[in-house]
Amino acid sequence: MGHKSDGQTGAGPNPTTADRVSDRELVITRMVDAPPAAVYAAWSRAELFRKWWVPQSLPMKLLSCEMDVRTGGAYRLEFGHPDFDQPMAFFGTYLDVEPGKRMVWTNAESEEGAVTTVTFADKGGKTLLTISNLFPSKDACDAEIASGATAAMDETLAQLDALLAAAGTPLAG
Amino acid sequence: MVQYESPSLDASFAALADPTRRGVLEQLGRADTSITDLAARFGMSLTGIKKHVSVLEQAGFVATQKVGRVRTCRLGARRLAEEAAWIEAYRHTWAARLDALDAVVQNMINEENERGTQI
């Protein structure tokens, strides 16, 4: 437990940290050089969210994204993967939404799915983003860590270069 | 012809093939535990549990230390290194995702600035 990772081998301007804070909770942190209202918009507006949730370095593609971001609202994401014929669906409900401050949602596609809490803390016009995934059990948390490792193996340095190049592309519309 | 034989890999699979030994690793993931407590927890004799711990120790999954009359078991360096690698991979995936978020947010702000409006 308590494993922490704050390496800066990623491409971003600010480091991303990952920490297993307990048997069943994984926490990601990242500073974003923009106010909470802007960062929150990127998480709560489907047309923005779908531009970044699946990095271009990953083989899967986001096919559809429906989000009713309010307490009690539902979301549904569908992904395509070259290895699978059928799309994979991820869905759940928002347990709590405080615009610009906090979002809490379930991951109901799995019985062992985590509850995700994202907080947007104002740090003098910048945003400290904290993403917590709280699992129902230690085993479920272990499984998530293992699947994260699998996804990361698909990423190569060349693909990261492609991501960097794509990041300079202006948004459409 | 290349032979894929690794004594270390064989020892790993053998060590993890047994449900009691996997149970021991799970328990040690929660807390360091003495041989005596492990024996009680798995309903085994001291000799029996020592054999299992010895296999795990040889594969690098468990480390033991004797203080006075008590031998305490904890996760070995190899097991800890594997979990650290998992966390690093998880961080790496999220870093790529949040790099993309960063780009979207910065573009959004730039566009808003060009329009001269507030978000």
Side-chain angles (χ1 to χ4, degrees):
Chain A
M1 298 319 98
H3 274 129
K4 195 175 183 76
S5 180
D6 54 6
Q8 296 193 33
T9 50
N14 291 323
T16 301
T17 71
D19 191 7
R20 184 169 190 171
V21 298
S22 77
D23 269 359
R24 58 191 193 100
E25 186 175 13
L26 299 168
V27 173
I28 302 283
T29 69
R30 166 90 168 216
M31 191 69 96
V32 182
D33 298 340
V39 182
Y40 176 79
W43 280 79
S44 58
R45 284 162 50 184
E47 76 275 15
L48 294 173
F49 182 85
R50 63 182 304 151
K51 290 180 193 290
W52 64 268
W53 183 252
V54 181
Q56 298 196 4
S57 54
L58 292 181
M60 52 205 292
K61 298 291 168 226
L62 186 55
L63 302 177
S64 69
C65 171
E66 294 163 29
M67 304 163 67
D68 179 13
V69 185
R70 58 186 171 84
T71 302
Y75 72 90
R76 183 180 179 87
L77 307 176
E78 288 189 1
F79 298 89
H81 191 287
D83 292 345
F84 301 101
D85 292 338
Q86 298 296 317
M88 294 177 285
F90 293 79
F91 51 88
T93 54
Y94 296 99
L95 298 178
D96 188 32
V97 175
E98 293 178 61
K101 290 184 178 170
R102 187 166 178 265
M103 304 168 78
V104 183
W105 69 76
T106 62
N107 293 272
E109 66 278 353
S110 158
E111 284 184 14
E112 294 278 87
V115 170
T116 303
T117 301
V118 183
T119 57
F120 307 84
D122 192 344
K123 299 288 176 186
K126 298 184 178 184
T127 304
L128 175 60
L129 194 55
T130 304
I131 303 138
S132 154
N133 278 308
L134 181 62
F135 291 84
S137 68
K138 178 181 183 295
D139 283 350
C141 189
D142 287 344
E144 171 68 13
I145 293 172
S147 71
T150 307
M153 278 181 351
D154 290 332
E155 294 195 36
T156 65
L157 285 175
Q159 285 169 323
L160 273 176
D161 285 345
L163 176 65
L164 271 177
T169 308
L171 294 183
Chain B
M1 181 174 169
V2 181
Q3 295 283 323
Y4 290 99
E5 282 179 19
S6 157
S8 153
L9 209 58
D10 286 350
S12 300
F13 283 120
L16 297 175
D18 182 274
T20 301
R21 292 198 282 269
R22 291 198 298 271
V24 166
L25 287 181
E26 268 188 44
Q27 168 58 26
L28 297 182
R30 287 188 280 271
D32 295 354
T33 311
S34 71
I35 292 276
T36 312
D37 286 350
L38 283 175
R41 193 173 286 268
F42 292 95
M44 300 184 76
S45 67
L46 280 177
T47 312
I49 202 76
K50 275 180 188 168
K51 276 184 186 168
H52 285 306
V53 167
S54 170
V55 171
L56 289 167
E57 196 170 12
Q58 282 168 23
F61 289 113
V62 166
T64 69
Q65 186 181 20
K66 193 167 187 179
V67 178
R69 298 181 60 187
V70 179
R71 183 170 287 279
T72 301
C73 306
R74 56 184 166 77
L75 290 181
R78 174 173 177 172
R79 182 71 175 172
L80 292 173
E82 281 180 4
E83 177 156 326
W86 283 341
I87 297 288
E88 172 54 22
Y90 184 73
R91 189 199 67 76
H92 187 78
T93 300
W94 269 97
R97 171 177 283 170
L98 295 176
D99 288 349
L101 165 75
D102 209 281
V104 166
V105 170
Q106 299 309 329
N107 272 312
M108 187 171 65
I109 286 175
N110 291 342
E111 287 191 352
E112 295 292 338
N113 285 344
E114 281 168 20
R115 289 190 199 125
T117 54
Q118 291 287 312
I119 292 164

